[in-house]
mmCIF file with all atom_site columns, all heavy atoms in Angstrom:
data_model
loop_
_atom_site.group_PDB
_atom_site.id
_atom_site.type_symbol
_atom_site.label_atom_id
_atom_site.label_alt_id
_atom_site.label_comp_id
_atom_site.label_asym_id
_atom_site.label_entity_id
_atom_site.label_seq_id
_atom_site.pdbx_PDB_ins_code
_atom_site.Cartn_x
_atom_site.Cartn_y
_atom_site.Cartn_z
_atom_site.occupancy
_atom_site.B_iso_or_equiv
_atom_site.pdbx_formal_charge
_atom_site.auth_seq_id
_atom_site.auth_comp_id
_atom_site.auth_asym_id
_atom_site.auth_atom_id
_atom_site.pdbx_PDB_model_num
ATOM 1  N N   . GLU G 1 160 ? 13.150 -14.475 -3.532  1.00 89.00 ? 160 GLU G N   1
ATOM 2  C CA  . GLU G 1 160 ? 12.515 -14.381 -4.880  1.00 89.00 ? 160 GLU G CA  1
ATOM 3  C C   . GLU G 1 160 ? 11.712 -15.609 -5.225  1.00 89.00 ? 160 GLU G C   1
ATOM 4  O O   . GLU G 1 160 ? 10.664 -15.514 -5.846  1.00 89.00 ? 160 GLU G O   1
ATOM 5  C CB  . GLU G 1 160 ? 13.650 -14.121 -5.906  1.00 89.00 ? 160 GLU G CB  1
ATOM 6  C CG  . GLU G 1 160 ? 14.003 -12.630 -5.954  1.00 89.00 ? 160 GLU G CG  1
ATOM 7  C CD  . GLU G 1 160 ? 15.333 -12.477 -6.804  1.00 89.00 ? 160 GLU G CD  1
ATOM 8  O OE1 . GLU G 1 160 ? 15.808 -13.401 -7.352  1.00 89.00 ? 160 GLU G OE1 1
ATOM 9  O OE2 . GLU G 1 160 ? 15.839 -11.327 -6.691  1.00 89.00 ? 160 GLU G OE2 1
ATOM 10 N N   . LYS G 1 161 ? 12.301 -16.821 -4.862  1.00 92.00 ? 161 LYS G N   1
ATOM 11 C CA  . LYS G 1 161 ? 11.547 -18.062 -5.200  1.00 92.00 ? 161 LYS G CA  1
ATOM 12 C C   . LYS G 1 161 ? 10.159 -18.089 -4.456  1.00 92.00 ? 161 LYS G C   1
ATOM 13 O O   . LYS G 1 161 ? 9.203  -18.413 -5.064  1.00 92.00 ? 161 LYS G O   1
ATOM 14 C CB  . LYS G 1 161 ? 12.387 -19.169 -4.848  1.00 92.00 ? 161 LYS G CB  1
ATOM 15 C CG  . LYS G 1 161 ? 13.269 -19.714 -6.028  1.00 92.00 ? 161 LYS G CG  1
ATOM 16 C CD  . LYS G 1 161 ? 14.194 -20.784 -5.667  1.00 92.00 ? 161 LYS G CD  1
ATOM 17 C CE  . LYS G 1 161 ? 15.375 -20.802 -6.675  1.00 92.00 ? 161 LYS G CE  1
ATOM 18 N NZ  . LYS G 1 161 ? 16.616 -21.256 -6.000  1.00 92.00 ? 161 LYS G NZ  1
ATOM 19 N N   . THR G 1 162 ? 10.272 -17.721 -3.132  1.00 92.00 ? 162 THR G N   1
ATOM 20 C CA  . THR G 1 162 ? 8.998  -17.752 -2.316  1.00 92.00 ? 162 THR G CA  1
ATOM 21 C C   . THR G 1 162 ? 8.019  -16.835 -3.081  1.00 92.00 ? 162 THR G C   1
ATOM 22 O O   . THR G 1 162 ? 6.830  -17.185 -3.178  1.00 92.00 ? 162 THR G O   1
ATOM 23 C CB  . THR G 1 162 ? 9.248  -17.230 -0.925  1.00 92.00 ? 162 THR G CB  1
ATOM 24 O OG1 . THR G 1 162 ? 10.515 -17.791 -0.507  1.00 92.00 ? 162 THR G OG1 1
ATOM 25 C CG2 . THR G 1 162 ? 8.243  -17.587 -0.021  1.00 92.00 ? 162 THR G CG2 1
ATOM 26 N N   . GLU G 1 163 ? 8.451  -15.629 -3.417  1.00 91.00 ? 163 GLU G N   1
ATOM 27 C CA  . GLU G 1 163 ? 7.592  -14.644 -4.033  1.00 91.00 ? 163 GLU G CA  1
ATOM 28 C C   . GLU G 1 163 ? 6.884  -15.171 -5.258  1.00 91.00 ? 163 GLU G C   1
ATOM 29 O O   . GLU G 1 163 ? 5.680  -15.115 -5.437  1.00 91.00 ? 163 GLU G O   1
ATOM 30 C CB  . GLU G 1 163 ? 8.399  -13.341 -4.343  1.00 91.00 ? 163 GLU G CB  1
ATOM 31 C CG  . GLU G 1 163 ? 7.687  -12.258 -4.815  1.00 91.00 ? 163 GLU G CG  1
ATOM 32 C CD  . GLU G 1 163 ? 8.736  -11.188 -5.353  1.00 91.00 ? 163 GLU G CD  1
ATOM 33 O OE1 . GLU G 1 163 ? 9.775  -11.049 -4.745  1.00 91.00 ? 163 GLU G OE1 1
ATOM 34 O OE2 . GLU G 1 163 ? 8.282  -10.593 -6.343  1.00 91.00 ? 163 GLU G OE2 1
ATOM 35 N N   . GLY G 1 164 ? 7.719  -15.830 -6.121  1.00 91.00 ? 164 GLY G N   1
ATOM 36 C CA  . GLY G 1 164 ? 7.199  -16.363 -7.361  1.00 91.00 ? 164 GLY G CA  1
ATOM 37 C C   . GLY G 1 164 ? 6.169  -17.434 -7.152  1.00 91.00 ? 164 GLY G C   1
ATOM 38 O O   . GLY G 1 164 ? 5.087  -17.515 -7.656  1.00 91.00 ? 164 GLY G O   1
ATOM 39 N N   . ILE G 1 165 ? 6.516  -18.319 -6.137  1.00 94.00 ? 165 ILE G N   1
ATOM 40 C CA  . ILE G 1 165 ? 5.657  -19.463 -5.867  1.00 94.00 ? 165 ILE G CA  1
ATOM 41 C C   . ILE G 1 165 ? 4.278  -18.945 -5.284  1.00 94.00 ? 165 ILE G C   1
ATOM 42 O O   . ILE G 1 165 ? 3.226  -19.410 -5.763  1.00 94.00 ? 165 ILE G O   1
ATOM 43 C CB  . ILE G 1 165 ? 6.266  -20.406 -4.869  1.00 94.00 ? 165 ILE G CB  1
ATOM 44 C CG1 . ILE G 1 165 ? 7.504  -21.187 -5.651  1.00 94.00 ? 165 ILE G CG1 1
ATOM 45 C CG2 . ILE G 1 165 ? 5.273  -21.390 -4.348  1.00 94.00 ? 165 ILE G CG2 1
ATOM 46 C CD1 . ILE G 1 165 ? 8.329  -21.906 -4.691  1.00 94.00 ? 165 ILE G CD1 1
ATOM 47 N N   . VAL G 1 166 ? 4.351  -18.037 -4.351  1.00 93.00 ? 166 VAL G N   1
ATOM 48 C CA  . VAL G 1 166 ? 2.979  -17.616 -3.744  1.00 93.00 ? 166 VAL G CA  1
ATOM 49 C C   . VAL G 1 166 ? 2.231  -16.727 -4.821  1.00 93.00 ? 166 VAL G C   1
ATOM 50 O O   . VAL G 1 166 ? 1.053  -16.818 -4.878  1.00 93.00 ? 166 VAL G O   1
ATOM 51 C CB  . VAL G 1 166 ? 3.265  -16.728 -2.537  1.00 93.00 ? 166 VAL G CB  1
ATOM 52 C CG1 . VAL G 1 166 ? 3.669  -17.634 -1.343  1.00 93.00 ? 166 VAL G CG1 1
ATOM 53 C CG2 . VAL G 1 166 ? 4.019  -15.579 -2.655  1.00 93.00 ? 166 VAL G CG2 1
ATOM 54 N N   . GLY G 1 167 ? 2.975  -16.041 -5.624  1.00 91.00 ? 167 GLY G N   1
ATOM 55 C CA  . GLY G 1 167 ? 2.295  -15.322 -6.702  1.00 91.00 ? 167 GLY G CA  1
ATOM 56 C C   . GLY G 1 167 ? 1.483  -16.304 -7.635  1.00 91.00 ? 167 GLY G C   1
ATOM 57 O O   . GLY G 1 167 ? 0.311  -16.062 -8.081  1.00 91.00 ? 167 GLY G O   1
ATOM 58 N N   . MET G 1 168 ? 2.183  -17.431 -8.058  1.00 93.00 ? 168 MET G N   1
ATOM 59 C CA  . MET G 1 168 ? 1.462  -18.429 -8.776  1.00 93.00 ? 168 MET G CA  1
ATOM 60 C C   . MET G 1 168 ? 0.360  -19.080 -8.006  1.00 93.00 ? 168 MET G C   1
ATOM 61 O O   . MET G 1 168 ? -0.682 -19.377 -8.505  1.00 93.00 ? 168 MET G O   1
ATOM 62 C CB  . MET G 1 168 ? 2.480  -19.562 -9.173  1.00 93.00 ? 168 MET G CB  1
ATOM 63 C CG  . MET G 1 168 ? 3.179  -19.212 -10.495 1.00 93.00 ? 168 MET G CG  1
ATOM 64 S SD  . MET G 1 168 ? 3.992  -20.668 -11.077 1.00 93.00 ? 168 MET G SD  1
ATOM 65 C CE  . MET G 1 168 ? 5.471  -20.626 -10.200 1.00 93.00 ? 168 MET G CE  1
ATOM 66 N N   . GLY G 1 169 ? 0.534  -19.193 -6.658  1.00 93.00 ? 169 GLY G N   1
ATOM 67 C CA  . GLY G 1 169 ? -0.504 -19.709 -5.856  1.00 93.00 ? 169 GLY G CA  1
ATOM 68 C C   . GLY G 1 169 ? -1.826 -18.963 -6.016  1.00 93.00 ? 169 GLY G C   1
ATOM 69 O O   . GLY G 1 169 ? -2.844 -19.515 -5.977  1.00 93.00 ? 169 GLY G O   1
ATOM 70 N N   . TYR G 1 170 ? -1.703 -17.662 -5.975  1.00 92.00 ? 170 TYR G N   1
ATOM 71 C CA  . TYR G 1 170 ? -2.899 -16.744 -6.194  1.00 92.00 ? 170 TYR G CA  1
ATOM 72 C C   . TYR G 1 170 ? -3.660 -17.168 -7.438  1.00 92.00 ? 170 TYR G C   1
ATOM 73 O O   . TYR G 1 170 ? -4.861 -17.359 -7.471  1.00 92.00 ? 170 TYR G O   1
ATOM 74 C CB  . TYR G 1 170 ? -2.510 -15.305 -6.271  1.00 92.00 ? 170 TYR G CB  1
ATOM 75 C CG  . TYR G 1 170 ? -3.585 -14.321 -6.048  1.00 92.00 ? 170 TYR G CG  1
ATOM 76 C CD1 . TYR G 1 170 ? -3.272 -13.057 -5.547  1.00 92.00 ? 170 TYR G CD1 1
ATOM 77 C CD2 . TYR G 1 170 ? -4.848 -14.560 -6.331  1.00 92.00 ? 170 TYR G CD2 1
ATOM 78 C CE1 . TYR G 1 170 ? -4.231 -12.044 -5.357  1.00 92.00 ? 170 TYR G CE1 1
ATOM 79 C CE2 . TYR G 1 170 ? -5.847 -13.698 -6.141  1.00 92.00 ? 170 TYR G CE2 1
ATOM 80 C CZ  . TYR G 1 170 ? -5.528 -12.389 -5.658  1.00 92.00 ? 170 TYR G CZ  1
ATOM 81 O OH  . TYR G 1 170 ? -6.485 -11.475 -5.401  1.00 92.00 ? 170 TYR G OH  1
ATOM 82 N N   . VAL G 1 171 ? -2.880 -17.249 -8.544  1.00 92.00 ? 171 VAL G N   1
ATOM 83 C CA  . VAL G 1 171 ? -3.482 -17.618 -9.858  1.00 92.00 ? 171 VAL G CA  1
ATOM 84 C C   . VAL G 1 171 ? -4.087 -19.040 -9.758  1.00 92.00 ? 171 VAL G C   1
ATOM 85 O O   . VAL G 1 171 ? -5.147 -19.246 -10.278 1.00 92.00 ? 171 VAL G O   1
ATOM 86 C CB  . VAL G 1 171 ? -2.440 -17.491 -10.945 1.00 92.00 ? 171 VAL G CB  1
ATOM 87 C CG1 . VAL G 1 171 ? -3.133 -17.816 -12.317 1.00 92.00 ? 171 VAL G CG1 1
ATOM 88 C CG2 . VAL G 1 171 ? -1.937 -16.067 -11.028 1.00 92.00 ? 171 VAL G CG2 1
ATOM 89 N N   . VAL G 1 172 ? -3.376 -19.923 -9.073  1.00 93.00 ? 172 VAL G N   1
ATOM 90 C CA  . VAL G 1 172 ? -3.954 -21.278 -8.975  1.00 93.00 ? 172 VAL G CA  1
ATOM 91 C C   . VAL G 1 172 ? -5.250 -21.247 -8.207  1.00 93.00 ? 172 VAL G C   1
ATOM 92 O O   . VAL G 1 172 ? -6.208 -22.020 -8.594  1.00 93.00 ? 172 VAL G O   1
ATOM 93 C CB  . VAL G 1 172 ? -2.893 -22.207 -8.343  1.00 93.00 ? 172 VAL G CB  1
ATOM 94 C CG1 . VAL G 1 172 ? -3.460 -23.520 -7.900  1.00 93.00 ? 172 VAL G CG1 1
ATOM 95 C CG2 . VAL G 1 172 ? -1.745 -22.463 -9.270  1.00 93.00 ? 172 VAL G CG2 1
#
Side-chain angles (χ1 to χ4, degrees):
Chain G
E160 277 168 10
K161 270 176 200 147
T162 320
E163 188 193 319
I165 288 167
V166 291
M168 273 193 278
Y170 195 155
V171 180
V172 166

